[in-house]
Amino acid sequence: MFEQRFHFMHQNSFFHILISLIAGIYFGFIAAIIACLLTETSLGEFIDNIKSPEILSSIIISLETSIAVVILALIFGIPVAYLLATRRFTGRIILDTLIDLPIISPPLVCGLAILIAFGGHGLFSHFDVIFTIKGIIIAQLFVASPFLIRSARIAFESIDQDILTAARTLGASEFYTFRKVSLPLARNGIISGIIMTWARALGEFGATAMVAGCIPYKTETMTIGIYMHALSGNLDASVALSLLLIVSAFATLIVFKYLGRYNDPIK
Amino acid sequence: MIQLNDICKSFKETEVLRSLNLNVKKGEMFVLLGSSGCGKTTTLSIIAGLIREDRGDIYVDGSRINDVPPHKRGIGFVFQNYALFPHLNVYENVEFSLKARHKQKNNRNEVKRALELVGLDGFDNKNPMKLSGGEQQRVALARALVTEPECILMDEPLSNLDAMVRERLRYEMKQLQKDVGLTTIYVTHDQVEAMMLGDRIAVLNNGQTEEVGTPEKIFYKPQREFVARFIGMKNIFNGKITTLDEEGGVMQISTENFELTTVLIPSGEGTHVKACVRPEEIILMKSDQKTSARNEIAGRIITIFPNGPLMRVLVDVGGDEISVDITRLATRDLELKKGDKVILKFKATSVHVIM
């Protein structure tokens, strides 16, 4: 079952048995929880639930907003990531920390901050975003875009400096080098950033709920739907939405890992 | 053609270049030779515009290029690690600079010609990462050549290759450079490479040029003690000129432990000099035999060890050590061993004097 990397790692050693055991417990725990969700419903029930207008609407809202978030995150995130990866300037550490902040802070706190900024007497109060789709997008972007920026930055930073230098000595401007060398070489990191950002946006709950509320057919995303249906006793609808999220996440990750392994330009 | 005037560069506290001056002529292969950390690579980077100098001027064909950005300098660069674009095939790698300069016409012919020049025709669609080190460096060379640069800079381009490939590519590069008549600045720490490739060599030390000259001059008649030591002149002794024999065309130098006869050079009695003898110029014998050599020193063998294809014999001559290189066969025939008394002989012309 285990393919050994080095011949001196003995499979019958105490240590090997120990780590296998711990890993077994860990994966068993996760698999059991997912299995519980899977066995909670039948395929027929699942399809019936998904076809209900409110759930369909929440799926559409989730897809629309998360895709918008990915596009916006790309437009802002790629230049930011490139800037942080290639420039050394004072205050860089502050910017870097600012990007990590939404990853670390509770989404509720992010949501509250957005609510204050855009609501009542906030700095951006003349933008009408509270309880709207725009509010969902802003909340998701705030929480999810750092994943793309981090991933892209690491990808840009890991490009061999000599390759970029070579491009410059070959007569390429920095912009040309960015388009023709940096971007293609950072491709895998950017794609993985897109997937993480998209998944995070799709799964966003706390900040979205704070900013956009839970209005069916208007601001009810899939995750908010799961929460609302569970609260109102319609557990079947929650289960159906949860299954849809988990299965699509699993499928996306598998596809990405497969692509990443066989499409790596360096290998 | 390329001229560096008083170039200074420091990284934080460390002074890397201290008022460096160079003058490279059109069409020559100019070698920067020095140990690691002497500022060779920094010098290349400054010429290419990749690093900004703190002080000094850079001229190409008489015009100052300090403020020209790297992609407009028209200077090619070949890296030690090849720095090929891993996401492009061989053809696209070479074509890169033509596209970057928006030269769309006749790309195909120019790329083909460059690849032919380095002996890689037919490699167009190959993935450069799957080529051998030697082939990768050829791609890098073609990529730099295709732009027809004013000058090409090479930063230890052969040092990651194994000895056989290195030797062949070194020879081919020299031929190519001569055929194309390309001004080249070549950085290396390898003396053999410098000697084989260079039309002229500059020995760098501590961010300054110690000496510039032809390989012949640098290797056989260095004017600086540092250069003499760097190129492996093992036997260097402090001495004083005692007698000048104008008629005989020779002079006597007295060192702490022995006397030397050398070819006369214009100087005065009592001048302090350094006398150098290359290890391979010395004849080692066990019993005194008549030769025409003017210098003769007796000593005792300290140790014998292999030194490349030759054997190096360390001989104690009354407190000083003299290194002698002889063939393996000679070591065996003479039955040399530690402690043997030997006589060292060499000609007056074999002694090089540094004033």
Side-chain angles (χ1 to χ4, degrees), chain A residues 40 54 160 188 205 213:
Chain A
E40 185 63 30
E54 189 180 335
D160 180 0
N188 277 358
F205 173 73

Short mmCIF file of all heavy atoms in Angstrom, two decimals, chain A residues 40 54 160 188 205 213:
data_model
loop_
_atom_site.label_atom_id
_atom_site.label_comp_id
_atom_site.label_asym_id
_atom_site.label_seq_id
_atom_site.Cartn_x
_atom_site.Cartn_y
_atom_site.Cartn_z
N GLU A 40 -27.44 10.79 4.51
CA GLU A 40 -28.59 11.46 5.09
C GLU A 40 -29.74 11.55 4.08
O GLU A 40 -30.88 11.73 4.44
CB GLU A 40 -28.16 12.87 5.54
CG GLU A 40 -29.19 13.67 6.27
CD GLU A 40 -29.62 13.04 7.60
OE1 GLU A 40 -28.79 12.34 8.22
OE2 GLU A 40 -30.79 13.22 7.99
N GLU A 54 -36.24 28.20 -4.59
CA GLU A 54 -35.41 28.99 -3.67
C GLU A 54 -33.96 28.48 -3.71
O GLU A 54 -33.01 29.27 -3.74
CB GLU A 54 -35.98 28.90 -2.25
CG GLU A 54 -35.27 29.89 -1.32
CD GLU A 54 -35.79 29.83 0.10
OE1 GLU A 54 -36.96 29.41 0.31
OE2 GLU A 54 -35.04 30.19 1.01
N ASP A 160 13.04 31.66 -11.36
CA ASP A 160 14.48 31.91 -11.34
C ASP A 160 14.79 33.32 -11.85
O ASP A 160 14.43 33.69 -12.96
CB ASP A 160 15.16 30.85 -12.25
CG ASP A 160 16.66 31.03 -12.29
OD1 ASP A 160 17.18 31.96 -11.64
OD2 ASP A 160 17.31 30.22 -12.98
N ASN A 188 0.60 27.87 -12.80
CA ASN A 188 0.05 26.90 -11.85
C ASN A 188 -0.30 27.53 -10.52
O ASN A 188 -1.33 27.21 -9.93
CB ASN A 188 1.03 25.74 -11.65
CG ASN A 188 0.89 24.71 -12.75
OD1 ASN A 188 0.03 24.86 -13.62
ND2 ASN A 188 1.72 23.69 -12.72
N PHE A 205 -19.59 32.71 4.51
CA PHE A 205 -20.87 32.83 5.20
C PHE A 205 -20.93 34.07 6.10
O PHE A 205 -21.75 34.95 5.91
CB PHE A 205 -21.15 31.56 6.01
CG PHE A 205 -22.36 31.68 6.87
CD1 PHE A 205 -23.63 31.66 6.31
CD2 PHE A 205 -22.25 31.84 8.25
CE1 PHE A 205 -24.76 31.80 7.10
CE2 PHE A 205 -23.37 31.99 9.03
CZ PHE A 205 -24.64 31.96 8.46
N GLY A 213 -27.24 40.25 4.59
CA GLY A 213 -28.41 39.66 5.23
C GLY A 213 -28.76 38.33 4.59
O GLY A 213 -27.96 37.73 3.88
#
